[in-house]
Amino acid sequence: MLKTEELQVNIGPQHPSTHGVFRMLVTVDGETLVDLKPVFGYLHRNHEQLGEVNSYLQNMPFTDRLDYFNSMVNNHAYARAVEQLAGIEVPERAQYIRVIMDELSRILNHASALGFLLGDMGAWQTSLLWGLREREKILDLFEYVSGARMMCNYSRFGGVARDIDDYFISEVKKLMQGLPRYFDEFERLLVENEILLVRAKGVGVLPKELALSYSVTGPLLRGSGVPYDVRKAEPYAVYDRFDFDIPVGTVGDVYDRFLVRVEEMRQSYRILEQALQQMPEAEGGHINPKVKQQSLKPPVGESYARVESPKGELGFYLVSDGSGSAYRYKVRAPSFINLSALADMCKGYKIADVVVILGSIDIVMGEVDR
């Protein structure tokens, strides 16, 4: 039998398949991958160090730049950490507004991620445009309420920057009228797609035990059969008032992660329906008027607050020394932690599968490097 010499190949850092400025140093034996070393840091912006210099409020727009697909969720997580640190109460209406923004974010994230995933498989046009179509509608809603499509800077300590009005609610309901059909068509287009089946089934398998040992979260963990979701494990905001399920996979391959994200969009739709029905009237207030946003100085102490972002558990750890800036500011970024399993997920597969496996993790480099 002819033995080939192992070869090291660089994928990235400037490569469209790496979903950002990310480099994979892969070792291949022929077309089979035998080792992978992730290399990042190209996008490092000193986010956590800046968080210890800025005032608490100044950090809010910086969180937009983490997972820049989901700035609303980033804002929510950071606001919760500061509110927990400072003992700030959040009006009920603001809690519902935050949930609505989070679940709209989950739909736009998964629709885009699945479109890009098919692009990584070589099926660019149709699936990506279908994903971006709904994303654009949701970004229009974010622009209306926050003034920005992506960098929303929307949460404030004790609530949100602006209340939502009847027009916003009517536009959300209009969007939701078309979502069930969109989910069905999207699934029908892709679930039995020949390209998807060949490139995703049995590829990039992450066993349950390995997923748990790496502490991965989000669809990556649930695709491996672990029904863990922060919204259920440690309900925050008003998530304990909603009826929704946690989709899980059975094999833990790329295909399972695809199916989990499709079903999660449907569960987000269920949450949105309930949130719009239950949300109190505007008299409840959209922000705590007692909070001094600009000059906030939480008492000495520490806090850790987490949310279920579309990519997994996003947490903020803060330590206060009583001044107007955090003494310690640390982010638990799901994209970064989920990447830790990449090498084991890729070993033994073909080099062409690496791009697809990476895409199934769904990373954003702004969150990985910080």
Side-chain angles (χ1 to χ4, degrees):
M1 181 178 177
L2 181 65
K3 175 66 176 175
T4 59
E5 183 180 350
E6 289 185 356
L7 179 69
Q8 281 196 330
V9 180
N10 271 304
I11 303 178
Q14 305 292 345
H15 194 281
S17 70
T18 56
H19 295 259
V21 193
F22 174 53
R23 174 184 168 206
M24 293 180 285
L25 182 60
V26 300
T27 304
V28 293
D29 182 0
E31 286 291 316
T32 304
L33 186 138
V34 296
D35 193 24
L36 183 149
K37 293 181 180 178
V39 183
F40 35 79
Y42 299 98
L43 200 63
H44 185 60
R45 288 106 59 217
N46 291 300
H47 178 97
E48 292 167 342
Q49 287 72 35
L50 287 169
E52 296 166 5
V53 177
N54 294 332
S55 71
Y56 286 94
L57 184 61
Q58 283 176 325
N59 283 331
M60 187 64 73
F62 279 73
T63 66
D64 291 336
R65 276 76 178 170
L66 292 169
D67 177 2
Y68 39 77
F69 268 73
N70 298 291
S71 67
M72 288 287 193
V73 183
N74 304 341
N75 292 172
H76 188 180
Y78 173 63
R80 287 196 68 239
V82 175
E83 287 156 2
Q84 189 173 298
L85 189 63
I88 297 171
E89 294 292 327
V90 181
E92 191 176 49
R93 181 176 174 86
Q95 299 279 28
Y96 276 96
I97 293 172
R98 287 178 176 180
V99 166
I100 289 170
M101 301 307 172
D102 286 5
E103 297 311 314
L104 287 172
S105 297
R106 203 174 315 278
I107 292 173
L108 78 81
N109 179 88
H110 288 350
S112 304
L114 296 179
F116 284 117
L117 178 61
L118 267 291
D120 292 334
M121 297 176 185
W124 268 110
Q125 295 297 328
T126 304
S127 59
L128 180 58
L129 292 176
W130 274 47
L132 294 181
R133 185 185 75 187
E134 298 307 302
R135 176 175 181 256
E136 288 301 306
K137 296 176 184 177
I138 295 173
L139 291 182
D140 286 344
L141 292 170
F142 288 172
E143 183 179 17
Y144 175 78
V145 76
S146 73
R149 289 162 55 80
M150 291 184 66
M151 309 303 171
C152 297
N153 187 22
Y154 185 58
S155 284
R156 293 293 182 271
F157 311 130
V160 292
R162 300 173 189 85
D163 200 355
I164 59 176
D165 57 18
D166 292 338
Y167 174 78
F168 179 85
I169 294 173
S170 67
E171 288 299 301
V172 172
K173 290 180 177 178
K174 189 185 300 183
L175 167 74
M176 291 177 63
Q177 287 175 359
L179 284 179
R181 179 181 175 183
Y182 170 75
F183 298 149
D184 291 342
E185 289 180 345
F186 198 69
E187 191 171 24
R188 191 162 61 248
L189 173 73
L190 298 177
V191 168
E192 298 299 327
N193 183 285
E194 186 176 351
I195 297 175
L196 180 68
L197 293 175
V198 172
R199 300 298 307 277
K201 278 206 165 186
V203 175
V205 175
L206 180 64
K208 180 188 298 186
E209 296 75 16
L210 195 59
L212 291 169
S213 68
Y214 274 119
S215 299
V216 304
T217 53
L220 182 60
L221 178 63
R222 293 189 285 273
S224 295
V226 182
Y228 176 81
D229 188 310
V230 178
R231 295 171 296 174
K232 290 279 192 181
E234 189 181 272
Y236 54 94
V238 286
Y239 274 109
D240 56 345
R241 304 180 186 182
F242 306 132
D243 179 28
F244 65 99
D245 301 319
I246 304 175
V248 293
T250 54
V251 179
D253 57 8
V254 172
Y255 192 67
D256 269 351
R257 294 190 279 277
F258 164 81
L259 293 178
V260 164
R261 289 188 175 96
V262 171
E263 185 56 33
E264 283 191 6
M265 289 194 289
R266 289 197 171 96
Q267 297 305 318
S268 291
Y269 178 88
R270 289 178 62 190
I271 294 172
L272 284 169
E273 277 190 318
Q274 296 169 72
L276 290 171
Q277 291 171 358
Q278 297 176 18
M279 185 169 58
E281 295 298 322
E283 293 84 43
H286 70 284
I287 197 165
N288 187 329
K290 297 180 181 179
V291 179
K292 297 178 180 179
Q293 304 286 331
Q294 300 283 359
S295 57
L296 183 66
K297 294 182 179 180
V300 174
E302 63 180 356
S303 70
Y304 177 74
R306 56 182 183 160
V307 302
E308 183 66 36
S309 91
K311 293 174 173 61
E313 180 181 326
L314 170 64
F316 283 83
Y317 173 70
L318 301 174
V319 177
S320 171
D321 59 0
S323 69
S325 302
Y327 174 78
R328 185 76 174 92
Y329 176 105
K330 175 69 177 173
V331 183
R332 187 213 185 273
S335 290
F336 175 72
I337 293 173
N338 290 353
L339 263 183
S340 62
L342 179 63
D344 279 322
M345 293 166 66
C346 292
K347 288 177 183 177
Y349 296 100
K350 301 300 182 184
I351 191 169
D353 295 325
V354 173
V355 172
V356 178
I357 295 168
L358 175 65
S360 74
I361 297 178
D362 183 21
I363 64 168
V364 161
M365 291 309 297
E367 190 175 72
V368 173
D369 284 342
R370 303 189 299 288

